[in-house]
Amino acid sequence: GGEFDTFFWAMLWLPLLLLMPARGLGAVSEEARTNTFDLVQLTRMTAFRIALGKWLALVAQSLLLVAALLPYVVLRYYFGGVDVLNDLAIIAQLLMASMVLTAGAVALSAAPLALRILVLMVASP
């Protein structure tokens, strides 16, 4: 049971706390690199709405990941006897932390690359 618990929680915190915020770091800079800002500017959306849309897309992907792993919470309850409410509370906390980290990453993605690297070096320890 312990190996499955470790695998289960790793499949939650790795994507939620590392991969989604990492994808957010390139959200706005990817538009600048591929020169597609002109297409986005044609929509007459404000910069805030563009960044909000990119953040919402990453949060939606995080929610899909959590929804895909919810059947395993039930499986762990039946076969492992774990407390489902405690697990759901931990998952909700991981999701909230992911949302905050992703918001910071999307905000940071508009900064120059040197500043992004500097902030990551300072924030990572």
Side-chain angles (χ1 to χ4, degrees), residues 19-103:
L19 295 179
M20 288 304 169
R23 290 192 61 211
L25 282 173
V28 176
S29 61
E30 182 68 23
E31 295 281 345
R33 189 180 60 78
T34 58
N35 289 329
T36 56
F37 267 134
D38 297 335
L39 295 173
V40 175
Q41 288 175 341
L42 286 174
T43 63
R44 296 185 184 194
M45 291 174 51
T46 64
F48 175 78
R49 288 195 55 204
I50 293 169
L52 179 66
K54 292 185 176 299
W55 177 76
L56 283 174
L58 290 169
V59 167
Q61 291 173 14
S62 298
L63 288 171
L64 284 172
L65 172 77
V66 168
L69 289 175
L70 282 180
Y72 295 103
V73 172
V74 176
L75 189 69
R76 290 179 67 226
Y77 170 72
Y78 283 117
F79 293 119
V82 298
D83 184 15
V84 174
L85 294 178
N86 187 36
D87 281 358
L88 291 177
I90 293 171
I91 290 171
Q93 290 172 351
L94 284 173
L95 191 57
M96 292 302 290
S98 174
M99 293 167 86
V100 169
L101 289 173
T102 303

